[in-house]
Amino acid sequence: MKNDKTFVWVIGANGMLGHEVVDILKVHEIPCYATDIECDITSIEVIRNYVEDKPITHIVNCAAYTAVDKAEDEPEKAYALNALGPKNISIIAAEIGAILIHISTDYVFDGQSEKVYKENDPVHPLSVYGKTKAEGEAFVQQNIKEYYIVRTAWLYGKYGKNFVYTMLKLMNDRDEISVVSDQHGSPTYAPDLAEFILVLIGEKSQFGIYHYTNDGQTTWFDFAEEIYKLGSKYGLISSDCKVSPVTSDKYPTKAQRPKWSKLNNIRNSYEWRYSLLKFFSEIKNINIYR
């Protein structure tokens, strides 16, 4: 998929998803700029100066404040990255005529009913993280017409911290761990999401909000059990560890999380267990204590 007229700016390129987006663009020989904290998205003038004289046709915003519990104590920082940043990016994207692909989250929903959330369902976030991401979405919709907002959930990948790496470390360090069993959702493998972003870049789909996760539904507990099974199979877990279910009220956190965050997924995707297997086949020689 090579398009000489396409030039992508990936924001948050050192993060888990941003890294994958840059990788897949390189594979498909699509030229891109890649920036991270050196380009301050909370300053519209910094962004305006950065894009000057650059032939950018698409902007992929993967930057976000994702420390869900810490955000409760740092709402200003969360707002700056999750709301003000997308506001500035969307204004500049409109100014230069670039298509904006903005990554959002299932945390914009409250998860109080066992329904599959559709793209046009009203948002009702429970946490500072979710509220600031919802505000970011609103700014994008206000400031630019040519946008894709892509909501995803339970994202993991080989770059950076994520639930899978955390579980592997705990399973090696402890004889028993407890994992929440009453929160439902769909894990998403970052390279799979990067593939979907590539589709949005290459095909002019209808602008608006899209949901993308791996297919199927699970709980954090069942996800952890599958991690333990594959971690043992691939030699990444060297000792026995019992994985026990626990309810959310027994595992309190600062930020309230949606108990049900299954997103509808109208695009074809890989089943979550298959993608987790792909992940383990790629990281079998990795140092999980990095």
Side-chain angles (χ1 to χ4, degrees):
M1 177 187 158
K2 184 175 180 180
N3 183 349
D4 292 333
K5 296 181 180 179
T6 299
F7 215 121
V8 183
W9 177 22
V10 181
I11 302 173
N14 290 342
M16 178 167 48
L17 178 61
H19 210 311
E20 296 287 359
V21 173
V22 171
D23 284 353
I24 201 168
L25 290 173
K26 289 179 179 178
V27 168
H28 289 271
E29 299 182 347
I30 298 173
C32 71
Y33 299 103
T35 64
D36 206 83
I37 59 174
E38 71 276 7
C39 183
D40 182 7
I41 62 171
T42 67
S43 168
I44 195 167
E45 288 308 317
V46 168
I47 301 173
R48 187 172 281 119
N49 290 337
Y50 182 81
V51 302
E52 188 176 6
D53 299 326
K54 290 183 174 69
I56 296 169
T57 59
H58 295 73
I59 300 174
V60 182
N61 180 32
C62 300
Y65 184 109
T66 58
V68 177
D69 290 317
K70 197 174 180 181
E72 298 296 313
D73 297 322
E74 298 183 339
E76 296 85 3
K77 290 184 179 180
Y79 180 86
L81 281 174
N82 294 344
L84 180 59
K87 178 183 179 181
N88 293 336
I89 294 166
S90 59
I91 290 172
I92 299 303
E95 287 181 1
I96 66 174
I99 293 170
L100 174 59
I101 301 172
H102 174 65
I103 309 304
S104 193
T105 173
D106 59 317
Y107 277 62
V108 299
F109 299 115
D110 60 21
Q112 298 299 300
S113 62
E114 294 185 4
K115 59 180 286 186
V116 176
Y117 284 99
K118 298 179 180 179
E119 286 85 350
N120 60 356
D121 283 338
V123 299
H124 187 239
L126 302 174
S127 62
V128 169
Y129 168 68
K131 290 173 183 176
T132 56
K133 290 296 288 183
E135 289 175 288
E137 288 188 6
F139 281 132
V140 168
Q141 293 174 84
Q142 290 168 14
N143 293 321
I144 187 171
K145 293 181 179 179
E146 294 188 329
Y147 71 86
Y148 302 107
I149 293 171
V150 182
R151 295 185 185 132
T152 190
W154 298 22
L155 192 65
Y156 69 96
K158 56 182 176 288
Y159 300 111
K161 297 178 180 179
N162 59 73
F163 180 77
V164 182
Y165 283 146
T166 298
M167 288 297 102
L168 288 173
K169 292 178 183 179
L170 291 175
M171 289 167 182
N172 276 293
D173 293 342
R174 302 181 185 179
D175 296 327
E176 182 176 0
I177 62 171
S178 297
V179 183
V180 171
S181 61
D182 59 353
Q183 293 177 16
H184 301 256
S186 301
T188 308
Y189 186 33
D192 295 342
L193 179 54
E195 284 186 13
F196 177 62
I197 292 169
L198 185 70
V199 170
L200 293 179
I201 292 170
E203 301 175 5
K204 189 147 186 176
S205 302
Q206 181 177 351
F207 295 117
I209 299 173
Y210 287 82
H211 288 171
Y212 185 90
T213 65
N214 285 130
D215 283 341
Q217 171 211 320
T218 189
T219 67
W220 289 113
F221 167 70
D222 291 329
F223 190 19
E225 283 207 312
E226 193 71 13
I227 292 166
Y228 182 72
K229 182 179 79 174
L230 292 175
S232 299
K233 175 182 177 181
Y234 282 95
L236 292 172
I237 298 173
S238 56
S239 59
D240 292 334
C241 177
K242 181 180 179 182
V243 183
S244 300
V246 64
T247 55
S248 299
D249 61 322
K250 303 295 184 184
Y251 190 79
T253 55
K254 277 196 173 184
Q256 189 176 356
R257 287 157 167 77
K259 283 197 170 184
W260 181 277
S261 60
K262 179 72 177 92
L263 304 179
N264 75 312
N265 203 12
I266 60 173
R267 294 282 181 146
N268 291 329
S269 181
Y270 303 103
E271 202 272 337
W272 72 267
R273 290 181 184 85
Y274 174 77
S275 288
L276 187 62
L277 179 62
K278 289 195 298 181
F279 171 77
F280 273 95
S281 68
E282 289 187 25
I283 69 157
K284 56 187 175 183
N285 296 318
I286 203 167
N287 176 14
I288 62 172
Y289 289 92
R290 60 184 180 174

